[in-house]
Amino acid sequence: MTPSEPATIDSSLIEAVCARLAANKPVRRTLPGWGRVHIDRQLPFLCVYRRPRTGLDEGTHHLITSEAAYLFALGSARRQTGVSELIGRITETLAPMFGGFLLVEISAGQFDPESWNGSPLAGHPLQPGFRMRAPADEALDHMVDATCGALAQIAVEDQVAAVEVVRRARVAPVHLPPLLKPADARAVGATQFGLEVRPIYRDGDGKLAYPVVLRELERQVTVALRQILFAFVRSHTSHRPRHYHGLGRRAVVKAVWEVDRHLASVGNGFDFILQVTPANAQQAYRQFCKHKCRTQPAFRYRPLRVDPVRLKRELYNVPLERLEDPALRQLFREKQDELDRKLTMLLDLDTARFRYGSVQLYGEIADSLVAVAERILAQVPPRTRDDSREGFLSPEAFQERAQAEIDYYRRQWPEFAAKAEIRDDTAGLMVSQGNLLISRHSRIPVARANALLHHEIGTHIVTFYNGRAQPFRQLYSGLAGYDALQEGLAVFAEFLSGGLSRPRLRLLAARVVAARRMVEGSSFVETFDTLEDAYGFERRTAFSIAVRIHRGGGLTKDAVYLKGLIEVLEYIQAGGKLEPLLLGKYAAEHVPIIEELVWRKVLSPPPLRPRYLDAAGSAERLAWVHRVDSILELLEPPARHTKPTPP
């Protein structure tokens, strides 16, 4: 505390806070001694934590700092008057706007199994426990039931939370006075509610011992608190949020932008796929054929333009611990881990270690996925002419079509600045940093051209620019593990546009089988032989698949195309909407968090709508997805089927 800083909360601070609230301006003020008040808009609640007068209680205040309206402060007698006056004035300012107000106080307590009066607390050191203190008022029964239900969903290390309810007039923590005197609370229409937490994240001395446990508990308590607040707000105030996440934080503090910028700087410092893709694929193919397809090709990779060790140092200088929002912290922490793994793989490029890093990055190739792939390979005949019957486009002709597609999206949103480039150092088609790269040696089937445009531009580049329209850079550079959903979405775009052919689906299946065999130890030549001899792929196609699978030392990324397509189908069949998946680049498991951020208005609607959603037959194909039992049924026109649409 500086000499000019007040020892207690004074009237000038209280007046400043209430004036901003009355004008619906955000409040974020440090409190004297220790503490903070954060209210990002007018809301009918305040979450409170007071640090005990004696002893340590590290970590507990973090359980409220993800909420949109919170206050934590010292609980010493010297400061109680100022804390109570501030809380009272905040309540007086906000309660009349909503016809009611809720004060929720979080505290840490002792939870010996014997003290639970027959409750299910088993005494496991990491079992969460909650003791809810609520007034004995029948009007609050619905909220109490909602609280029990929300808290009972919390689990740590497979230990499900035990919940105890205490209905009595006093709801404040032991040894602390009420936040507001009962008469004062009734006068302004405020309800006080206490929630005592078993501090499984700290040791017996009150010090934070298990930060990972605290993070896990914090995220779940955040969701439970919002559900509790939602139950109260909907039944006891005039406020009508449509979803409990609508009560979450909208204000994004400076630390979030700093972390986002740092991670994006590291992530944008290298193009992982471009770095691990051979720059001499054409020459390697000629040499492979010259040696009668019996010799492992010698691949050449682009020199690294960055020092992975230096980037790792920058990566772990990112101050994630400063983030209060557990949803954002989870996303950023996952991205930090993914970038670390990619940088390690760049150091291991063209060595046996690269393959193990690939499995860590993209996950195991599940037996169920391999079974689907093998079924496709068995049922779809090889060497079909579905793709080649109309001839081929030159790279220049395809570039012209791609440019027309880019112009279409630029008319939707002038900031769409993608380019289509013909390159000598790439194989096939590739999107890098929001641009389409076309190999000079490509032969694009005319029958597949539109589908490929929807795949590369309508999905990969559109989600890149939709992500750029959001406040976080991670949504265009890609959240951790985004590849499967991105590639699945891109293949689904081919289906919706009527361009998912039998050879294409067979190719995706072959990539899964080849990746699995590579992980199990197959050499490049053995992979090539399996593709050409056992599955009937043409020599050039078999070589191309083998290159993609064995590049860098063994890359399993290509298995995610089929995996991602299955994820998208399951998501749609479960009632999910396609449009939210196009907001940026993220993984299927991030959908709930993205939806939460949309409800909180942290994220905004995307500016670009893919052309394939409005293509002829797209709506009928999307409706048909609800009827298919097998991925192979995507190859059959919906009009040929008579299965009833599910309710």
Side-chain angles (χ1 to χ4, degrees):
M1 185 172 65
T2 63
S4 60
E5 185 181 49
T8 59
I9 297 171
D10 61 13
S11 59
S12 63
L13 187 152
I14 294 173
E15 294 301 327
V17 167
C18 293
R20 291 187 66 83
L21 291 178
N24 202 16
K25 294 181 179 179
V27 171
R28 187 173 175 85
R29 293 290 296 268
T30 299
L31 300 181
W34 178 85
R36 182 184 305 128
V37 56
H38 172 104
I39 306 174
D40 72 16
R41 62 192 187 278
Q42 292 172 346
L43 288 164
F45 62 84
L46 182 68
C47 299
V48 179
Y49 166 79
R50 291 178 287 177
R51 196 166 78 188
R53 286 175 264 183
T54 58
L56 292 175
D57 184 23
E58 290 187 24
T60 303
H61 74 284
H62 289 293
L63 298 177
I64 64 168
T65 54
S66 57
E67 302 303 335
Y70 70 81
L71 181 152
F72 63 86
L74 293 170
S76 62
R78 178 187 179 194
R79 290 181 167 82
Q80 278 311 293
T81 300
V83 171
S84 294
E85 287 181 0
L86 176 57
I87 292 172
R89 288 292 306 281
I90 290 172
T91 305
E92 289 174 7
T93 301
L94 295 175
M97 300 177 185
F98 301 100
F101 197 82
L102 179 64
L103 289 168
V104 179
E105 182 165 21
I106 298 283
S107 61
Q110 298 301 316
F111 283 76
D112 296 325
E114 294 80 8
S115 71
W116 276 71
N117 300 321
S119 75
L121 189 66
H124 189 284
L126 292 183
Q127 182 180 10
F130 300 95
R131 182 178 288 119
M132 172 177 44
R133 293 192 175 95
D137 182 348
E138 291 183 1
L140 295 174
D141 287 352
H142 172 69
M143 178 190 167
V144 170
D145 291 342
T147 301
C148 290
L151 296 174
Q153 299 301 312
I154 294 175
V156 175
E157 298 287 331
D158 296 325
Q159 298 295 313
V160 179
V163 182
E164 183 180 65
V165 180
V166 179
R167 303 294 295 270
R168 63 187 183 192
R170 178 181 170 82
V171 299
V174 179
H175 308 309
L176 283 174
L179 295 173
L180 297 180
K181 293 178 181 179
D184 294 339
R186 286 193 297 271
V188 294
T191 299
Q192 300 185 83
F193 177 87
L195 186 61
E196 196 172 347
V197 181
R198 185 187 191 197
I200 57 176
Y201 42 83
R202 71 180 202 200
D203 59 22
D205 296 327
K207 296 179 180 178
L208 181 60
Y210 311 113
V212 175
V213 171
L214 176 61
R215 286 201 301 269
E216 185 176 350
L217 187 65
E218 179 187 354
R219 173 63 183 156
Q220 296 183 72
V221 168
T222 294
V223 174
L225 272 176
R226 287 199 196 130
Q227 292 174 319
I228 296 165
L229 297 169
F230 184 75
F232 176 86
V233 165
R234 295 280 294 184
S235 58
H236 289 80
T237 77
S238 60
H239 193 36
R240 290 293 178 269
R242 293 171 54 201
H243 192 278
Y244 63 83
H245 281 313
L247 296 173
R249 292 176 65 153
R250 295 180 186 173
V252 178
V253 298
K254 181 180 178 181
V256 172
W257 307 126
E258 184 179 348
V259 168
D260 181 54
R261 179 175 57 80
H262 272 86
L263 287 177
S265 175
V266 174
N268 293 335
F270 62 99
D271 188 320
F272 178 74
I273 294 299
L274 199 61
Q275 283 294 163
V276 303
T277 298
N280 65 329
Q282 284 299 117
Q283 301 94 311
Y285 178 66
R286 288 194 292 269
Q287 288 297 314
F288 186 67
C289 294
K290 181 179 179 180
H291 291 92
K292 304 185 184 303
C293 308
R294 297 295 91 199
T295 305
Q296 162 79 34
F299 294 127
R300 176 172 52 80
Y301 299 95
R302 297 163 181 81
L304 283 173
R305 294 181 177 272
V306 296
D307 179 358
V309 174
R310 181 184 62 80
L311 284 182
K312 280 198 174 201
R313 187 162 58 246
E314 291 181 18
L315 182 63
Y316 283 100
N317 281 333
V318 177
L320 286 173
E321 67 282 353
R322 293 174 53 195
L323 300 185
E324 295 177 345
D325 190 319
L328 295 177
R329 187 170 61 235
Q330 177 182 336
L331 295 180
F332 290 149
R333 190 173 294 279
E334 289 174 357
K335 186 62 180 180
Q336 184 185 54
D337 179 67
E338 182 186 73
L339 288 170
D340 179 33
R341 293 179 190 277
K342 285 184 174 180
L343 289 168
T344 297
M345 289 176 69
L346 291 183
L347 291 170
D348 293 338
L349 187 64
D350 211 18
T351 72
R353 295 188 300 274
F354 186 90
R355 179 179 65 185
Y356 302 116
S358 178
V359 174
Q360 288 183 323
L361 185 62
Y362 297 108
E364 299 280 353
I365 303 171
D367 292 344
S368 57
L369 181 63
V370 174
V372 171
E374 290 178 336
R375 189 159 60 249
I376 292 171
L377 290 168
Q379 295 184 29
V380 178
R383 302 182 188 276
T384 60
R385 295 184 57 81
D386 291 18
D387 288 350
S388 59
R389 64 182 182 275
E390 298 177 28
F392 296 88
L393 292 174
S394 67
E396 291 77 14
F398 186 75
Q399 182 189 36
E400 185 176 342
R401 289 198 182 192
Q403 191 58 55
E405 194 73 3
I406 288 169
D407 292 342
Y408 168 83
Y409 287 110
R410 188 171 293 127
R411 288 192 294 272
Q412 277 193 45
W413 193 41
E415 294 185 40
F416 190 84
K419 296 181 293 184
E421 305 174 23
I422 297 175
R423 299 273 292 259
D424 292 313
D425 60 346
T426 60
L429 303 176
M430 178 185 299
V431 169
S432 177
Q433 301 297 321
N435 296 310
L436 177 62
L437 310 184
I438 306 166
S439 171
R440 189 172 299 281
H441 308 285
S442 296
R443 293 173 73 241
I444 294 96
V446 173
R448 288 271 303 147
N450 285 337
L452 290 172
L453 290 173
H454 293 312
H455 180 116
E456 304 293 353
I457 299 176
T459 303
H460 293 326
I461 299 182
V462 161
T463 52
F464 178 89
Y465 279 95
N466 277 344
R468 289 197 69 163
Q470 301 303 326
F472 305 121
R473 303 182 188 190
Q474 304 309 310
L475 280 168
Y476 72 81
S477 62
L479 295 177
Y482 76 91
D483 301 87
L485 182 58
Q486 264 290 295
E487 299 300 352
L489 209 71
V491 176
F492 194 70
E494 299 178 33
F495 163 72
L496 288 184
S497 63
L500 182 58
S501 63
R502 290 182 296 171
R504 173 62 166 166
L505 193 57
R506 202 167 188 277
L507 179 71
L508 302 184
R511 290 175 178 177
V512 171
V513 173
R516 176 66 171 266
R517 298 195 177 191
M518 179 273 293
V519 169
E520 292 173 347
S522 290
S523 68
F524 183 97
V525 172
E526 289 169 336
T527 299
F528 172 84
D529 288 345
T530 298
L531 293 167
E532 186 181 42
D533 299 337
Y535 295 118
F537 284 94
E538 295 179 351
R539 174 176 292 186
R540 185 61 180 260
T541 303
F543 178 83
S544 176
I545 296 171
V547 169
R548 292 175 66 103
I549 296 301
H550 285 270
R551 56 183 159 172
L555 190 69
T556 57
K557 176 184 180 292
D558 275 16
V560 306
Y561 287 76
L562 189 62
K563 175 185 176 184
L565 178 59
I566 293 171
E567 283 183 355
V568 172
L569 293 178
E570 291 175 346
Y571 169 82
I572 297 295
Q573 289 176 338
K577 302 298 182 183
L578 199 59
E579 287 80 356
L581 304 185
L582 300 163
L583 184 143
K585 297 181 183 292
Y586 55 90
E589 56 265 30
H590 294 145
V591 171
I593 296 180
I594 297 298
E595 290 177 341
E596 173 189 333
L597 295 173
V598 170
W599 279 113
R600 288 166 50 187
K601 298 187 178 180
V602 174
L603 301 180
S604 56
L608 295 167
R609 176 180 171 84
R611 190 202 287 258
Y612 62 78
L613 289 179
D614 302 313
S618 175
E620 291 78 9
R621 294 185 188 95
L622 187 57
W624 168 240
V625 169
H626 290 281
R627 309 180 196 178
V628 302
D629 298 319
S630 163
I631 197 169
L632 284 165
E633 293 182 63
L634 294 180
L635 299 174
E636 304 178 44
R640 289 172 51 185
H641 297 270
T642 57
K643 291 183 182 180
T645 302

